[in-house]
Amino acid sequence: MPEKLFAEVATMQSQDAFLPVGNRFTEAQIAEAVDLIRNAGRLPAHRHEFLLREAITTSDFPYLFGTVIEHEMLARYRFAAAPWRPYTKVSTLLNFNIHQRHMLDGLTGRLPVVGEKGEYLVDPKPIHSRRYIQLTKKGKQFDISWESLINDGLGAFSDVAQRYADAASNTEYFDVTSLYSSAAGPN
């Protein structure tokens, strides 16, 4: 039995290298939208509602709102520590094809005692094995109406980004745990 258990998960080449389709805004525009949605300027309710209505009537608002949520979610997701990282190998894959990995198993057992002027024994030949890994895409959408956003006086939608960051972390925890254990016991 190996002394350490190593599992392998796959990630895209870089989260920053793959921009969403609707990402056509500068950071300043995104910051302005966040300030408007959160009413950072503490505008009176009627003025805030008017500016929101004006912004929402443009065709860019859904893209801008989605980009804001995405930025917040990624920032919160990156902040969360992943306790599975020390015992999991993370690979970088460039596409969704099946990738083959070659591995050596063995050479990690306890070392035998060597007597004075004794001979060091040859370790048994390591076992060569192949493993296959494939990148998968997981996600979901959040649908909110303009009226719900306007009427959200209690801030019920203010934690959407945190909820999606938690969903991403929970999915990773489940996927990594599934690599070495199932309901029936260890894999």
Side-chain angles (χ1 to χ4, degrees):
M1 183 170 176
E3 293 180 14
K4 283 190 175 181
L5 173 69
F6 285 98
E8 185 172 7
V9 295
T11 61
M12 285 299 280
Q13 183 176 13
S14 168
Q15 290 177 352
D16 297 330
F18 300 95
L19 297 174
V21 176
N23 193 6
R24 55 184 179 213
F25 302 103
T26 65
E27 289 297 319
Q29 290 171 317
I30 293 169
E32 187 178 342
V34 169
D35 289 345
L36 176 61
I37 292 167
R38 292 189 173 158
N39 195 10
R42 299 183 187 251
L43 300 170
H46 68 282
R47 176 124 171 95
H48 180 242
E49 181 180 346
F50 172 77
L51 290 174
L52 264 180
R53 283 178 193 263
E54 182 181 32
I56 290 174
T57 58
T58 70
S59 60
D60 287 340
F61 188 78
Y63 294 111
L64 196 54
F65 186 68
T67 304
V68 167
I69 294 293
E70 178 187 18
H71 275 63
E72 284 187 23
M73 189 271 305
L74 281 173
R76 292 170 191 243
Y77 169 76
R78 288 183 181 142
F79 181 72
W84 49 265
R85 288 221 183 250
Y87 60 86
T88 306
K89 179 180 180 183
V90 178
S91 289
T92 301
L93 301 178
L94 301 176
N95 54 43
F96 292 93
N97 294 329
I98 296 174
H99 298 269
Q100 182 174 301
R101 296 286 190 250
H102 297 274
M103 306 185 75
L104 285 179
D105 294 328
L107 305 176
T108 59
R110 293 188 340 224
L111 297 173
V113 174
V114 178
E116 185 177 340
K117 292 195 174 190
E119 181 181 353
Y120 288 92
L121 301 176
V122 176
D123 207 4
K125 187 176 180 181
I127 300 168
H128 176 264
S129 63
R130 286 186 208 142
R131 302 200 178 145
Y132 299 93
I133 187 168
Q134 185 174 17
L135 186 66
T136 58
K137 178 175 68 171
K138 297 178 180 182
K140 57 185 173 181
Q141 293 183 17
F142 173 70
D143 188 28
I144 184 171
S145 69
W146 172 70
E147 292 84 1
S148 295
L149 190 60
I150 294 293
N151 293 335
D152 186 26
L154 299 176
F157 300 114
S158 63
D159 65 343
V160 170
Q162 182 62 51
R163 289 175 181 269
Y164 270 100
D166 291 345
S169 295
N170 291 340
T171 302
E172 281 184 340
Y173 293 149
F174 179 83
D175 289 348
V176 170
T177 303
S178 297
L179 291 171
Y180 65 86
S181 182
S182 66
N187 288 338

